[in-house]
Structure formats: C-alpha cells, structure tokens
Amino acid sequence: MAERAVRVKVLGIETSCDETSAAVVENGDCIISNVIASQIDIHSKYGGVVPEVASRRHVELILPVVQEALDQAGLTFADIGCIGAINRPGLIGALIVGAAAAKTIAYGADIPLVALHHLEAHIYANFLTNAHIEFPLICLVVSGGHSDIVYMTGHGQYQILARTRDDAAGEAFDKCARALGLGYPGGPVIDKLAGSGDPNAVDFPRAKVGDTLDFSFSGLKTAVIRYAQNTGTQTRIEDIAASFQQAVVDVLTDHTFRAVEQTGVRQVLMAGGVAANSSLQAAIKSRGSELGISVNAPPPVLCTDNAAMAASAAYYACRRGENAGLDMDCFASEPLGSAQR
Ligand code: KG4
Ligand code: ZN
C-alpha cells in the first residue's frame, strides 16, 4: 500500500450486529463519510437483537449503504485504496453479509482487503478524533458484548489485561433497562434518566474478582432487578438508574486506573457503546486529570457501532501488510489479537 505522504482513502464496512454501516476515511483520521443504518426500531419491539432478522436486514441495506457512503464522499471504487471489513466477533449471519460485500468489491475493483476484529475497530475510533495519541496506552473497551481493558504498545499490538467473567457492561445496561420496562437499547435511556437521579440513593454492589482486573456485572444486574421487584414504585426510577449506573462507572473507572498504575502508561482511551455514557466519560476524564493522565474518548456516534472506526483500523492494518484473501472467513467469537482472517 502507498506510503503516508499519499492520502489513502479506505472503505470501511461494519455489519456485526444491528447497524449496517459503510464509511470512507482518509489516512485513518479524516472521516469523509460515515453512513449508519440502524435497525434499532426493528429489534426494540423484541427487547433485543433477533439475529436472523438482523442478517436479512443487512442483506437489504448493505449495497445502498455502501453506495451512499461513496456518494456522500463524491468517490467511486476507483478512488479507494483499501477495504476494511469487520469479520469477527459478532452475529455470524450478520458478519457474513458485510464480509461478502467487501470481498466482492475487493475482487471486482481489485482493491486490497483487510479483515478486522470488532474491538480493534472500536479502539481506532479514538484515532478519528485525536491525532496526538501516544503509545503505550490503556484502552477501556466496553460494549454490549465485551468489557475489556486492553494494553497497547503500538498499532496492532493488543494485550488483554481484563475481561468480564459474565455479563458485559452494555449487557447489564440492556438487561436492567428491560427489567425496569425502559426498552432497548438500555444504555442511552439509563444515561438520560440517571441525569436527574441520585447516584447514592441505592447502594448496589461493586463486584471484585479476586485480585484481578476482571469484571463481573451479573450480580449487580440481579441486585437491580430484585430491588425493582421488591420496592415497586417506592424508589424513583431515576434514582435506581443513577445508582446502577454509578456502580458500573465506579468499577470501570477503578479497574482502568489500576491498569494505568500497573503498566505506567500516560494515555487512556475509551471505546465501545458504553463509552458513550456521559457519567463514565466524566469520571474517567476527571480521574485522568487528577493524575495527569491524558484521556481520550470518541463522541457518542463513534463509540457505538459504525464503519468509520473500521476504516481507520484498516488503514493501519493495511500499512502493516495484513491483507486478507478472498477466502476470508467470519468468526462469531474470537479474542482480540487473534490472527484470524
Ligand atoms: O459497541 P456497541 O454499539 O455494540 C456492540 O459492539 O455491542 O455497544 C452497544 C451497547 C449497548 O449495550 C448499549 O446499551 C450501550 O452500548 N450503550 C450505552 C450508551 N449508549 C450505548 N451504555 C451506556 N450509556 C450510553 N450512553
Ligand atoms: Zn460494537
């Protein structure tokens, strides 16, 4: 692939869950277009994502979404220097739709293809808004399926220092919201309600997993659900939401800065849908400024699933020569740092 002096336009494709997204990003940090077709309205009536419905909707949307991303950028495939497709982990039927589209375009237009891990792409959302990120760093990656603390010594270098032993942070938000009758997805609605609630109203548990940095959110989820069942309407829903959110924020912030202390890094990144949480961003930024640690968090639209993050990650992966073949497969569950293409 071309050297840094040449501006390389990368087409990113993301279909791992319930967003069909395509984007064009130049040199890993300049978003030219980022089209996100959300399926939330379809899945919310079921209280969560229905995999088969998601796959079918991706099939309907993928080509118009890719075309829209090119049209908004005023480009054709001839202008694209690399295609980055998320091929792992995620809903397998959903991943296959994006991967098939990416392979077809790569073959038809003779463009190098890169296979991306979904969490790698989330991390690279940070590079879309900040050109001054320095390694080594710690990234807190919190989404509907993962709660990881990742140590990076350079581009493409990932070491997982912590993961969840049960529910992911976003899963806890979604399941609590569902139990409280707040709909799907739970994160944004709890974030909003918590803004007018008392975070100290209910003392929900902050779980520890021995001396490790690992997370456990299923006990907290059960405590919130039991509390709501037992107290009925005696406690304001805003106070329950704020107290639950505070418990999640406390644990995520505490573990992130323990990882900072253990590794001695001076840079923290935030990534994944839960990183859009206003209280979490405020807590991590405030602890960072107390300790003189630089903290970067993408804006909410780049925290949740989108293809610009994939295009950014693909730019760096392509520069490392990590090209995938047309036999690129998809994987429902793969740890970050795996070499699956
Ligand atoms: O990264 P993402 O869009 O998809 C996955 O990779 O899972 O993350 C979705 C998750 C959902 O659980 C959603 O409830 C949560 O991110 N989320 C939030 C917020 N916005 C989205 N959680 C807390 N606060 C938010 N503002
Ligand atoms: Zn995601």
Side-chain angles (χ1 to χ4, degrees):
M1 186 171 133
E3 288 304 315
R4 219 183 201 311
V6 179
R7 307 290 295 172
V8 180
K9 295 174 182 69
V10 179
L11 174 67
I13 294 181
E14 147 68 5
T15 60
S16 67
C17 190
D18 58 348
E19 261 93 32
T20 317
S21 183
V24 180
V25 172
E26 197 174 58
N27 275 29
D29 59 11
C30 177
I31 302 175
I32 308 181
S33 63
N34 189 19
V35 179
I36 306 166
S38 173
Q39 303 180 11
I40 284 177
D41 288 351
I42 300 172
H43 299 287
S44 59
K45 54 179 169 287
Y46 304 107
V49 179
V50 183
E52 179 62 19
V53 174
S55 309
R56 286 166 189 257
R57 192 70 186 127
H58 284 308
V59 170
E60 290 164 357
L61 288 170
I62 189 66
L63 293 180
V65 164
V66 168
Q67 190 59 54
E68 181 65 20
L70 288 173
D71 289 349
Q72 284 185 15
L75 302 172
T76 69
F77 289 133
D79 302 303
I80 301 297
C82 170
I83 301 177
I86 291 175
N87 75 331
R88 66 196 194 279
L91 301 173
I92 196 72
L95 286 167
I96 285 170
V97 177
K103 286 195 274 190
T104 308
I105 298 165
Y107 177 68
D110 194 21
I111 303 170
L113 176 66
V114 171
L116 298 162
H117 193 286
H118 185 72
L119 299 189
E120 169 175 38
H122 269 305
I123 293 169
Y124 274 83
N126 286 276
F127 291 83
L128 292 167
T129 50
N130 186 346
H132 305 289
I133 291 168
E134 293 195 0
F135 298 103
L137 58 83
I138 287 291
C139 185
L140 173 68
V141 192
V142 270
S143 67
H146 295 84
S147 302
D148 290 357
I149 295 176
V150 181
Y151 175 56
M152 288 181 75
T153 50
H155 286 293
Q157 305 289 317
Y158 310 103
Q159 189 185 336
I160 297 181
L161 303 185
R163 49 170 54 90
T164 181
R165 297 288 179 102
D166 40 57
D167 291 347
E171 199 176 345
F173 270 96
D174 294 339
K175 287 178 177 170
C176 287
R178 188 174 177 166
L180 296 170
L182 300 174
Y184 173 86
V189 59
I190 288 183
D191 193 350
K192 191 153 180 258
L193 279 175
S196 47
D198 174 6
N200 300 312
V202 191
D203 186 18
F204 287 125
R206 276 83 168 146
K208 285 198 166 55
V209 184
D211 287 337
T212 73
L213 294 174
D214 283 352
F215 301 107
S216 167
F217 292 111
S218 80
L220 169 62
K221 171 196 69 186
T222 307
V224 172
I225 294 171
R226 287 233 180 90
Y227 185 88
Q229 283 166 347
N230 294 340
T231 64
T233 52
Q234 287 162 29
T235 309
R236 290 168 69 229
I237 191 86
E238 291 86 349
D239 292 341
I240 301 177
S243 300
F244 157 73
Q245 180 174 277
Q246 192 60 48
V248 177
V249 168
D250 284 351
V251 172
L252 293 175
T253 307
D254 179 51
H255 290 212
T256 300
F257 284 94
R258 274 168 59 201
V260 167
E261 200 181 325
Q262 285 175 17
T263 53
V265 304
R266 312 298 301 162
Q267 172 78 66
V268 168
L269 307 182
M270 299 174 67
V274 180
N277 187 268
S278 55
S279 172
L280 180 63
Q281 288 209 5
I284 295 206
K285 284 177 183 166
S286 142
R287 184 78 68 88
S289 80
E290 273 165 36
L291 300 171
I293 304 290
S294 170
V295 173
N296 191 77
V301 69
L302 297 176
C303 286
T304 48
D305 290 346
N306 68 90
M309 65 188 196
S312 176
Y315 170 75
Y316 293 96
C318 201
R319 287 185 66 196
R320 295 192 298 273
E322 293 181 11
N323 290 354
L326 293 176
D327 57 352
M328 177 180 82
D329 209 345
C330 294
F331 304 88
S333 78
E334 276 292 323
L336 179 63
S338 65
Q340 296 288 8
R341 304 268 182 269

